[in-house]
Amino acid sequence: VDTRDLTDRQLSVLRGKTIGFVFQGFHLTDGVTAEQNVATALLYNGVPRRERRDRARAALERVGLGHRIGHAAQDLSGGERQRVAIARAIVTDPLVVLADEPTGALDTANGERVLALLEQLHDDGTTVVVITHDAELAARLPRRIELRDGRIIADTDTDTQAVTYA
């Protein structure tokens, strides 16, 4: 979709229906539950309240947090907060998930859980784009596009080991 001529409203609709965002800093709202944080993503798509709740619960179950649905965001661990952020990103069934340093603020065990979730999303047909400075994490991904100063310097398909340098 060429976005250059889209209005703000059209851009918002495109983002809301097509792209799920996972932020490094989670960007959850403290004082509301995990379910409410996830359901917020559906609010902008005009999804009725009952359906928002049901879909938020299903997304939280998918990321392994069905038992934490009613817990306030500030009462969750870092790994749980990141999984709530992933649930919020996937609750709209986006075509693309953009994950900015998705494991950066996590311990090793929670980082592995988050990576497993992202891999499962990819296996289920969602395009997952991970933005990271972590070379070890990047090496685990099926394709790496390396940027320097806004330019592509390498495009590597780790399945075939093909490397293209720009």
Side-chain angles (χ1 to χ4, degrees):
V1 175
D2 185 345
T3 60
R4 289 178 287 196
D5 295 324
L6 295 182
T7 66
D8 283 342
R9 180 165 175 70
Q10 290 169 320
L11 286 169
S12 293
V13 168
L14 180 69
R15 281 191 301 267
K17 293 182 184 275
T18 308
I19 304 169
F21 295 93
V22 180
F23 300 100
Q24 180 179 3
F26 316 132
H27 293 289
L28 301 180
T29 303
D30 287 336
V32 301
T33 66
E35 177 186 325
Q36 291 166 324
N37 269 286
V38 174
T40 300
L42 296 167
L43 183 66
Y44 305 109
N45 289 333
V47 176
R49 172 179 265 167
R50 181 180 227 35
E51 185 180 344
R52 285 195 311 261
R53 187 193 71 211
D54 292 344
R55 287 176 61 181
R57 289 179 178 192
L60 286 163
E61 290 283 348
R62 187 171 180 194
V63 300
L65 288 177
H67 65 292
R68 303 290 273 172
I69 286 171
H71 287 78
Q74 73 269 15
D75 296 333
L76 302 174
S77 71
E80 289 170 334
R81 291 170 67 87
Q82 187 65 300
R83 287 186 283 156
V84 171
I86 291 171
R88 182 184 54 206
I90 65 172
V91 73
T92 61
D93 294 320
L95 298 173
V96 177
V97 170
L98 299 177
D100 181 14
E101 298 286 2
T103 61
L106 305 178
D107 62 36
T108 303
N110 280 310
E112 288 297 324
R113 280 191 197 99
V114 165
L115 285 178
L117 285 169
L118 295 174
E119 288 169 350
Q120 185 62 52
L121 286 172
H122 177 271
D123 291 345
D124 291 345
T126 302
T127 298
V128 179
V129 178
V130 176
I131 299 91
T132 186
H133 292 93
D134 182 341
E136 188 176 316
L137 168 58
R140 293 178 56 176
L141 303 174
R143 182 176 180 195
R144 287 188 311 274
I145 299 173
E146 296 177 55
L147 302 173
R148 181 170 294 130
D149 299 327
R151 296 188 183 274
I152 296 173
I153 60 167
D155 186 345
T156 307
D157 182 336
T158 56
D159 291 334
T160 63
Q161 296 304 309
V163 179
T164 306
Y165 293 98

